[in-house]
Amino acid sequence: MPKQKPPVNRISRRRVPVAALMAVATIVLPARAQSPPPSQATYQVEQGRARIVLAPLPHDVVRAFYIGRGFEKPFVEQLVRQGCVYRLDVGNVAEAPDKAPLSLDLTHWKIRIVDGFQPMPLKDRWLARFKEQGMAEPQRIALRWATFPNQQTFYAGDYNWGMMVLSQPPGTVFDLEIRWRDASHDKTHRLEGMKCASF
Amino acid sequence: MRVFLRGLALLVLLVPLSNPALSETADRERAPLVAMDNRPAPDFALKNLDGETVTLRQYRGRVVVVNFWATWCPPCRAEMPSMQRAWEVYKDKGIVLLGVDIGETDDRVFQFMADLGLDFPVVLDTDSKVTNAWPVKGLPTTVVVDPKGRMAFRAIGARKWDDAGIIKQLMGLF
């Protein structure tokens, strides 16, 4: 763990504006899907150049995305009932002329459900599994580009959004150990008590 | 069913806007472009929405802003209006805004462009093989190619493409 005190160190957990979400859902969804989504906590780490936000995606958003990309309904329902989809938003919040990179390598991230920390399931594993199951190429392409890349480097102002899929059922509580590299310094933070979206 | 799916698609586009994280996007969009190492940009030959083949090489002598995107990507959608504004003002000054849509049909992209009133050039990388040859890991990513066909700048995430600072960087490549 680095001993140097970072210029900014803010960890927060806050509520998504559920009212806004419900308002949008009420406008565009038929009655079957109008039940209000459960409150969803987002998890945010701001430290040095890094801004990392994790937010569980509500099931209807997951359904909408995958059905909109042409995925078969059984696959989408399986994903909703057995998966746990998060939005990961990572950015380098330094301002120019700062030229130091922020690097992320998800192969170093670890998840703990019950026992010890384990490596996170990454997009390569999902893509290989879905290819074996006969998923068509357009859907695999969509999945690949919608899922956060395993490694990425960000310079001042850069940011990326992507999905992160965990193989856990709705409502699962877990801890996540996240790592990144800020210039030449390795950083680690543990997010405890995170939760998959529940019905 | 069609109405239901259209509603769901709209929800996907709108729900991220309810996230407080997006309120900071405007600041991010003004960040300057990051200099690259002037490697030659990989050439490509892709179809546009009229079914015509477009190559990168045909734009040699101009500054080409190659934007990799998809209709389902909220930050991609966010930067499109500024790309259109930049296209309208600078297309006669040697700057080309060229969108490379990844993995989608011409119908979907055409509808998206029409809905947003966009008319800058767009090509379709339906199997994402062209994109794989470029330094692109997430969407949107934009690579600026100089008049000699070299990768001069890049941006990961949305930018405000008609921002004075970014335009100055682009014009500086001539």
Side-chain angles (χ1 to χ4, degrees):
Chain A
M1 291 286 287
K3 292 184 171 59
Q4 179 184 347
K5 186 178 179 183
V8 181
N9 188 351
R10 188 165 83 234
I11 315 295
S12 69
R13 176 176 174 170
R14 62 188 179 191
R15 299 287 173 188
V16 164
V18 175
L21 194 65
M22 289 170 62
V24 172
T26 303
I27 293 168
V28 299
L29 291 178
R32 191 179 67 80
Q34 281 186 1
S35 57
S39 295
Q40 305 290 351
T42 61
Y43 306 85
Q44 180 169 321
V45 178
E46 285 190 38
Q47 187 177 116
R49 295 174 178 81
R51 181 175 184 278
I52 301 172
V53 180
L54 292 125
L57 290 181
H59 299 306
D60 282 337
V61 172
V62 175
R63 284 191 183 97
F65 177 81
Y66 285 99
I67 290 173
R69 307 278 75 73
F71 285 79
E72 299 285 342
K73 276 188 176 177
F75 166 83
V76 177
E77 285 310 309
Q78 182 185 24
L79 183 65
V80 165
R81 297 190 177 280
Q82 298 177 14
C84 172
V85 185
Y86 262 75
R87 178 177 64 84
L88 174 58
D89 173 359
V90 178
N92 181 334
V93 295
E95 293 185 7
D98 183 282
K99 294 192 184 305
L102 170 77
S103 301
L104 204 68
D105 185 346
L106 297 187
T107 64
H108 295 156
W109 286 29
K110 293 180 178 173
I111 183 171
R112 177 169 63 189
I113 311 291
V114 179
D115 299 323
F117 279 92
Q118 306 287 333
M120 266 194 349
L122 298 174
K123 66 194 302 181
D124 308 324
R125 175 175 144 186
W126 296 117
L127 289 170
R129 180 186 294 181
F130 297 147
K131 188 175 183 181
E132 280 180 12
Q133 293 174 354
M135 181 183 286
E137 189 182 24
Q139 279 68 53
R140 281 188 280 119
I141 290 172
L143 192 68
R144 177 192 161 193
W145 287 101
T147 309
F148 206 94
N150 291 351
Q151 289 93 16
Q152 195 162 23
T153 299
F154 303 88
Y155 288 89
D158 285 342
Y159 69 96
N160 187 20
W161 290 14
M163 292 187 188
M164 198 174 80
V165 183
L166 308 172
S167 50
Q168 298 300 324
T172 299
V173 176
F174 62 95
D175 302 330
L176 193 65
E177 187 174 279
I178 64 176
R179 294 167 182 263
W180 67 96
R181 191 169 180 82
D182 187 331
S184 57
H185 303 284
D186 289 325
K187 308 280 184 180
T188 303
H189 183 76
R190 189 171 289 183
L191 294 162
E192 297 186 331
M194 296 178 71
K195 194 174 182 184
C196 299
S198 51
F199 287 104
Chain B
M1 187 61 185
R2 180 178 284 259
V3 172
F4 174 67
L5 290 178
R6 189 168 285 190
L8 284 175
L10 183 61
L11 181 65
V12 163
L13 292 171
L14 293 179
V15 162
L17 301 178
S18 68
N19 192 303
L22 204 63
S23 63
E24 298 177 16
T25 298
D27 293 335
R28 299 172 174 184
E29 289 177 358
R30 295 185 183 279
L33 307 174
V34 175
M36 292 185 70
D37 58 6
N38 291 321
R39 280 174 288 160
D43 196 16
F44 55 71
L46 293 169
K47 300 284 188 189
N48 65 16
L49 295 176
D50 294 322
E52 302 162 336
T53 299
V54 173
T55 66
L56 179 64
R57 178 170 288 273
Q58 74 187 58
Y59 294 116
R60 193 61 57 89
R62 302 189 204 181
V63 171
V64 190
V65 179
V66 186
N67 175 255
F68 296 88
W69 69 289
T71 62
W72 47 261
C73 154
C76 302
R77 187 182 176 94
E79 69 180 345
M80 287 289 173
S82 72
M83 291 187 70
Q84 177 65 24
R85 290 193 299 272
W87 167 245
E88 289 170 2
V89 173
Y90 295 98
K91 63 183 174 184
D92 295 330
K93 296 174 182 166
I95 294 179
V96 176
L97 278 292
L98 178 63
V100 179
D101 176 87
I102 300 176
E104 299 186 285
T105 64
D106 53 356
D107 282 348
R108 183 184 293 273
V109 176
F110 182 85
Q111 186 64 53
F112 178 88
M113 300 284 288
D115 287 347
L116 269 66
L118 310 173
D119 67 357
F120 56 82
V122 167
V123 292
L124 306 172
D125 185 19
T126 51
D127 58 9
S128 90
K129 284 181 181 165
V130 164
T131 305
N132 292 345
W134 286 66
V136 179
K137 292 194 170 183
L139 305 181
T141 294
T142 305
V143 177
V144 177
V145 179
D146 74 10
K148 293 181 178 175
R150 303 174 301 188
M151 294 189 279
F153 296 114
R154 70 120 179 87
I156 298 173
R159 293 294 188 278
K160 191 172 170 59
W161 289 99
D162 59 342
D163 177 76
I166 288 180
I167 292 296
K168 186 177 178 183
Q169 285 185 286
L170 299 182
M171 296 302 285
L173 292 173
F174 288 109

